[in-house]
């Protein structure tokens, strides 16, 4: 765990019921992350110095007003974007030093990302959208289909597999996005408002699914606006104007 | 390896899907490739057809035949002073070749009629384009003539200058429908000849073979009737597998007979089936070169079109690329996706070009039966290979461009 030998960041307060953070069980370690968008006239600080750590098996909710930088932060955690400054370690590896192929592998195998805007392929069926990550790690077609069908059934879309995204409701699309994030059994699940378009019953089902994943040892980070969703997590990070406002333990 | 193949298959299906979605656009894009491929196949099949026919035509006259002319064979536009001064080949030259060339098995001498075809008459019917030629009896065997009826004339008939004739197949067809020509009298240029043999049909290269319209009479009979005719053609047949030796011997004898000084060039020409075919191949090689240049231009234009459409495709599908990268596609996955798409596009153009080439070939054969075109397999492979390479080459830059997109930038693309 070489990166830790340099600057040991300050980690959050102790959380009862979990291992106290140590170099061995920290999966996500962010230190002074900044993200600045240079516009023509002004520059926008979407993130202004965010530091935190998340240990393996934690269940974290991120809350904050619209435009506070939640999605920006999730994209950084998901290795989809690079910070303007600051450092980010994932499983002890400094992400800025990873090669393109290593990043692709992480996005494929280690992280399941549910996008706020779903980001499904418009021309492909739900089934194909869900099996897509498996294509990029060379899973044989038969196994791909089997697993995609299984996970689609898990999100209650067994009867909509051949539908294209534009033939699905917003909530159904969201569930396809969740199914796609889960197909590779990633150890970290990052979900940007995964229940934003769902009625409370379906939302509950998704949350139950996350709960089960959490119980089987997965690390879960989700963004939400709803307090009762956030309350199911064990820790809530509040963000305001690109900064961590409050980091509270719940549950 | 299996994984690699699976990815290719995956991308191929994807590419075909994209093709289906943009049928018309794709078709317009690969029009250049299509035309280029069709040109390659079309010209190659015509050349191959002509070539095959030439080989067959030449071979019927025997691959061991050596023709000796006054001039070098080939197309020329003006004669040198020396060439204008050349004297005709002599009967004596043929005698000398027979005597002094151990690798020559047989020698024939032909003499041609000077002027427009004299025409032939039989029982009031007339055939205006019939010709006459004097030939020694050996001519028939050396040139591989087949007799459907009767026999060749003998040396005795030749030296006694008898008015006997062997007729070509078109003459038999014209005058002797359902009638035996043997023993009948035919009139050529006012002289009457008794028919003793009828020849089978000759293969022809383009159009019909003038041999089929010729009345062959003994060499010495010809000289008696046409004392002004001067130009002899000598045909020598080499012993098997001794072509080069025979040609060397003939050259030596001919130089001596025609008094060529050691430092002078030959003042006569020689040709064999082989040399005629080689000469023809030189011409077709040039035609092929012109074709390659022309179709290259078509393919280049097509390639630029493909590059353009692929750039459009990459822009249109920026979000898709973002999604793929976000869920774990590597750069090489994206590169292959777009390369295979470009190659499928041009490959499809190539396949259409090949099909069109076959259609073209078929049409040529039906419309112009005398042009025996046939599609050579190599041109099909070449056409397909080239069209795919066009996709590979011109698709490279758009594919690289796509693969370098940043996932979040791509996802936020409108
Ligand atoms: N590509 C961009 N260019 C310029 N500014 C951007 C860009 N992306 C985000 N921002 C800005 O960064 C800030 C944070 O955006 P972000 O999407 O992270 O907000 P959020 O917390 O996810 O909001 P919401 O709850 O509405 O999804 C916003 O002010 C936004 O305008
Ligand atoms: Mg957001």
């Amino acid at each position: 765990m070489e990166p830790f030998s340099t600057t040991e960041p300050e980690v959050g307060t102790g959380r009862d019921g979990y291992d106290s953070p140590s170099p061995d069980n920290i999966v996500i370690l962010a230190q002074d992350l900044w993200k600045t968008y240079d516009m023509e006239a002004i520059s926008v600080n979407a993130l202004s110095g965010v530091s935190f750590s998340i240990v393996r098996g934690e269940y974290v909710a991120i809350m904050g007003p619209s435009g506070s930088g939640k999605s920006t932060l999730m994209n950084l955690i998901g290795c989809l974007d690079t910070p303007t400054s600051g450092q980010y370690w994932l499983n002890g590896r400094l992400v800025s030093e990873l090669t393109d192929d290593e990043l692709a592998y992480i996005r494929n195998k280690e992280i399941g990302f549910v996008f706020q805007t779903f980001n499904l392929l418009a021309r492909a069926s739900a089934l194909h959208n869900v099996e897509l990550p498996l294509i990029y790690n060379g899973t044989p077609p038969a196994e791909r289909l089997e697993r995609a069908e299984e996970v689609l059934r898990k999100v209650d879309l067994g009867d909509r597999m051949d539908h294209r995204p534009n033939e699905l409701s917003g909530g159904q699309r969201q569930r396809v996005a969740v199914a796609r994030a889960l197909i590779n059994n990633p150890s970290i699940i990052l979900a940007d408002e995964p229940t934003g378009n769902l009625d409370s019953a379906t939302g509950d089902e998704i949350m139950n699914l996350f709960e089960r994943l959490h119980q089987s040892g997965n690390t879960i980070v989700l963004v939400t606006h709803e307090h009762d969703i956030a309350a199911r997590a064990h820790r809530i990070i509040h963000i305001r104007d690109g900064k961590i406002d409050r980091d509270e333990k719940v549950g | 390896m299996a994984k690699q193949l699976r990815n290719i298959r995956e991308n191929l299906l994807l590419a075909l899907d994209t093709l289906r979605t943009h049928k018309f656009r794709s078709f317009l894009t690969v029009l250049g490739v299509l035309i280029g491929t069709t040109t390659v196949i079309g010209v190659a099949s015509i050349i191959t057809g002509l070539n095959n026919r030439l080989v067959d035509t030449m071979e019927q006259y025997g691959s061991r035949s050596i023709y000796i002319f006054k001039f070098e064979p080939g197309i020329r536009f003006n004669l040198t002073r020396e060439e204008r001064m050349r004297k005709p080949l002599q009967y004596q030259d043929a005698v000398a070749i027979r005597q002094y060339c151990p690798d020559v098995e047989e020698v024939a001498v032909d003499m041609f009629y000077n002027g427009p075809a004299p025409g032939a008459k039989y029982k009031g019917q007339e055939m205006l384009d019939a010709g006459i030629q004097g030939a020694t009896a050996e001519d028939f065997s050396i040139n591989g003539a087949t007799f459907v009826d009767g026999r060749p004339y003998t040396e005795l008939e030749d030296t006694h200058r008898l008015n006997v004739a062997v007729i070509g197949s078109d003459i038999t067809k014209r005058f002797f429908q359902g009638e035996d020509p043997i023993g009948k009298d035919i009139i050529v240029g006012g002289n009457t000849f008794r028919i003793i043999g009828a020849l089978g049909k000759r293969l022809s290269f383009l159009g019909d073979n003038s041999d089929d319209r010729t009345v062959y009479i003994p060499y010495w009979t010809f000289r008696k009737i046409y004392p002004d005719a001067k130009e002899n053609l000598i045909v020598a047949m080499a012993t098997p597998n001794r072509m080069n030796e025979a040609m060397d011997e003939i050259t030596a004898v001919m130089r001596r007979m025609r008094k060529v000084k050691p430092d002078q060039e030959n003042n006569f020409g020689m040709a064999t089936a082989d040399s005629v075919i080689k000469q023809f191949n030189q011409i077709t090689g040039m035609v092929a070169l012109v074709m390659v240049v022309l179709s290259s231009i078509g393919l280049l234009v097509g390639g630029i079109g493909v590059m353009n459409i692929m750039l459009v495709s990459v822009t249109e599908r920026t979000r898709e690329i973002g999604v793929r990268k976000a869920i774990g596609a590597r750069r090489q996955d994206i590169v292959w996706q777009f390369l295979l798409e470009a190659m499928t596009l041009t490959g499809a153009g190539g396949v259409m070009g090949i099909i069109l080439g076959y259609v073209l070939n078929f049409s040529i054969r039906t419309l112009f039966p005398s042009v025996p075109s046939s599609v050579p397999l190599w041109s099909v492979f070449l056409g397909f290979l080239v069209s795919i390479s066009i996709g590979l080459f011109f698709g490279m830059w758009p594919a690289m461009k796509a693969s370098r997109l940043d996932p979040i930038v791509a996802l936020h693309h409108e």
Side-chain angles (χ1 to χ4, degrees):
Chain A
M1 292 274 157
E2 196 260 328
F4 292 92
S5 61
T6 49
T7 34
E8 194 75 15
E10 209 179 297
V11 288
T13 49
R15 283 167 293 275
D16 294 356
Y18 293 94
D19 302 339
S20 57
S22 77
D24 288 336
N25 64 4
I26 291 180
V27 268
I28 290 166
L29 180 60
Q31 194 187 8
D32 198 24
L33 294 182
W34 287 73
K35 184 73 187 179
T36 309
Y37 292 106
D38 285 315
M39 314 293 281
E40 266 153 47
I42 45 152
S43 62
V44 178
N45 282 329
L47 291 178
S48 349
V50 173
S51 305
F52 64 94
S53 71
I54 294 172
V55 297
R56 182 168 304 116
E58 237 181 324
Y59 190 168
V60 182
I62 297 178
M63 293 192 81
S66 179
S68 55
K70 303 183 297 294
S71 294
T72 308
L73 181 60
M74 290 294 268
N75 290 341
L76 291 181
I77 298 175
C79 295
L80 293 165
D81 208 354
T82 45
T84 313
S85 73
Q87 278 155 324
Y88 168 41
W89 285 272
L90 181 75
N91 284 324
R93 302 177 74 191
L94 190 56
V95 170
S96 58
E97 282 176 355
L98 298 178
T99 65
D100 247 45
D101 279 6
E102 286 171 324
L103 287 174
Y105 179 83
I106 288 171
R107 294 195 285 254
N108 185 254
K109 282 289 241 196
E110 295 184 7
I111 294 175
F113 203 112
V114 184
F115 293 90
Q116 189 174 12
T117 48
F118 317 142
N119 287 330
L120 301 174
L121 291 189
R123 292 196 289 125
S125 67
L127 190 66
H128 186 67
N129 265 294
V130 172
E131 73 164 343
L132 208 55
L134 296 180
I135 290 176
Y136 292 117
N137 58 41
T139 310
E143 187 189 331
R144 258 175 7 218
L145 283 180
E146 196 180 310
R147 278 168 63 181
E149 282 170 14
E150 184 190 310
V151 68
L152 270 171
R153 257 182 249 116
K154 238 190 232 175
V155 297
D156 222 6
L157 281 177
D159 54 345
R160 290 287 185 276
M161 298 204 202
D162 296 327
H163 288 56
R164 289 179 173 205
N166 63 356
E167 296 158 353
L168 295 171
S169 74
Q172 287 169 331
R173 277 181 234 179
Q174 189 143 43
R175 281 183 276 160
V176 175
V178 170
R180 185 181 64 187
L182 300 184
I183 186 120
N184 255 329
N185 296 322
S187 59
I188 304 167
I189 289 148
L190 306 176
D192 198 348
E193 301 210 27
T195 56
N197 290 276
L198 303 180
D199 60 85
S200 58
T202 341
D204 263 0
E205 267 172 52
I206 296 290
M207 292 315 293
N208 290 340
L209 192 62
F210 281 2
E211 204 128 291
R212 279 204 298 280
L213 288 165
H214 170 245
Q215 271 155 17
S216 56
N218 296 43
T219 309
I220 295 174
V221 180
L222 61 82
V223 171
T224 183
H225 277 120
E226 294 161 69
H227 284 281
D228 49 337
I229 298 275
R232 298 178 73 149
H234 302 103
R235 175 184 172 193
I236 303 177
I237 298 177
H238 294 271
I239 294 201
R240 187 177 291 276
D241 295 333
K243 291 194 185 74
I244 295 186
D245 194 34
R246 202 147 44 90
D247 191 339
E248 63 172 335
K249 179 195 64 131
V250 290
Chain B
M1 191 58 210
K3 194 167 145 183
Q4 234 83 8
L5 280 178
R6 202 144 55 219
N7 279 345
I8 288 178
R9 184 180 153 270
E10 208 63 50
N11 281 327
L12 206 65
L13 290 176
L14 199 68
L16 285 172
D17 189 51
T18 313
L19 260 182
R20 260 197 300 275
T21 323
H22 299 290
K23 277 191 210 77
F24 192 62
R25 182 172 96 178
S26 306
F27 176 74
L28 287 183
T29 306
V30 296
L31 212 54
V33 176
L34 193 157
I35 293 170
T37 320
T38 308
T39 312
V40 172
I41 302 229
V43 176
S45 51
I46 292 176
I47 289 178
T48 311
L50 290 180
N51 211 48
N52 289 347
R53 178 59 68 94
L54 182 72
V55 169
D56 291 347
T57 309
M58 290 311 296
E59 270 173 1
Q60 71 178 331
Y61 291 104
S63 53
R64 287 193 278 143
S65 300
I66 302 164
Y67 299 86
I68 303 145
F69 306 96
K70 188 164 108 176
F71 296 119
E72 284 294 335
I75 302 160
R76 76 191 60 213
F77 302 101
N78 44 12
L79 300 173
T80 64
R81 215 183 91 82
E82 181 272 322
E83 282 172 326
R84 276 197 303 274
M85 303 284 285
R86 281 185 191 178
K87 57 181 197 259
L89 302 186
Q90 302 296 316
Y91 184 83
Q92 284 313 311
D93 299 339
V95 176
I97 289 172
R98 187 172 335 186
Q99 195 164 354
Y100 299 114
C101 298
D103 286 309
V104 171
E105 212 169 87
E106 254 187 310
V107 181
V109 189
D110 296 350
M111 189 168 267
F112 297 101
Y113 181 79
N114 215 341
K121 278 186 220 154
Y122 174 71
K123 279 191 183 163
Q125 300 177 75
E126 204 168 353
M127 185 169 165
L128 289 174
D129 57 356
I132 189 162
Q133 181 185 331
T136 58
E138 296 89 348
D139 184 271
F140 299 109
S141 57
I142 295 179
N143 280 325
T146 52
F147 280 81
V148 291
D149 208 352
R151 57 168 178 87
Y153 34 76
T154 60
E155 224 178 305
L156 215 63
E157 285 166 325
D158 193 358
T159 47
H160 284 82
R161 295 162 199 195
L162 298 185
N163 278 19
V164 290
V166 170
I167 57 174
S169 64
D170 281 356
I171 296 172
T172 313
K173 208 166 120 195
R174 175 77 173 77
F175 292 146
F176 304 101
Q177 292 284 358
E179 193 183 340
D180 186 7
I182 306 302
K184 306 283 160 34
D185 286 341
I186 189 169
I187 302 168
V188 183
N191 300 291
T192 305
F193 301 93
R194 165 99 9 116
I195 296 170
I196 59 162
L199 297 174
K201 187 153 183 61
R202 285 286 197 179
L203 280 179
S204 69
F205 180 46
L206 288 176
D208 37 88
N209 194 328
S210 67
D211 284 4
D212 290 336
R213 285 180 268 118
T214 300
V215 175
Y216 294 88
I217 61 169
Y219 180 82
W220 291 107
T221 312
F222 189 94
R223 301 233 1 209
K224 179 187 77 183
I225 297 172
Y226 302 106
D228 290 341
K230 293 263 175 319
E231 300 299 338
N232 288 297
L233 164 72
I234 301 173
V235 191
M237 182 162 78
T239 50
N241 299 321
R242 305 287 288 174
M243 279 296 275
N244 291 334
E245 292 81 353
M247 283 172 79
D248 289 346
E249 291 159 13
I250 292 168
T251 306
V253 169
M254 287 303 288
R255 284 177 72 91
R256 203 158 358 107
M257 293 299 290
R258 289 170 72 80
K259 302 193 173 56
V260 183
K261 296 202 186 78
D263 57 333
Q264 282 175 335
E265 300 271 324
N266 292 346
N267 62 1
F268 56 93
M270 275 195 282
T272 61
D274 238 32
S275 77
V276 171
I277 291 166
K278 277 204 190 91
Q279 211 162 31
F280 180 75
N281 282 346
Q282 267 172 14
I283 300 170
T284 54
M286 252 145 67
V287 173
L289 199 72
V290 171
M291 163 198 83
V292 166
V293 170
L294 283 181
S295 61
S296 301
I297 295 171
L299 290 171
L300 187 76
V301 172
I304 291 170
V306 169
M307 179 146 80
N308 181 50
I309 215 73
M310 288 311 295
L311 285 173
V312 170
S313 178
V314 168
T315 310
E316 275 178 356
R317 288 154 65 193
T318 303
R319 277 180 62 86
E320 177 193 321
I321 296 163
V323 171
R324 289 177 186 277
K325 292 202 86 166
I327 57 159
R330 292 162 302 173
R331 266 191 197 174
Q332 66 191 81
D333 294 320
I334 303 291
V335 168
W336 270 111
Q337 180 187 338
F338 281 93
L339 268 189
L340 261 157
E341 187 173 316
M343 292 193 321
T344 310
L345 190 67
T346 54
V351 168
M352 284 192 281
I354 289 167
I355 293 169
L356 201 65
Y358 269 101
V359 171
L360 195 72
N361 170 58
F362 181 76
S363 322
I364 291 173
R365 281 167 72 138
T366 7
L367 293 176
F368 311 100
S370 60
V371 183
S373 91
S374 86
V375 179
L377 209 57
W378 63 261
S379 75
V380 173
F381 283 119
L382 185 75
F384 189 62
L385 206 74
V386 167
S387 55
I388 283 183
S389 311
I390 295 279
L392 183 70
F393 185 78
F394 288 94
M396 192 58 93
W397 185 48
M400 297 295 283
K401 209 180 136 175
S403 79
R404 279 200 281 264
L405 283 172
D406 183 77
I408 280 295
V409 172
L411 279 174
H412 287 166
H413 183 87
E414 286 311 316

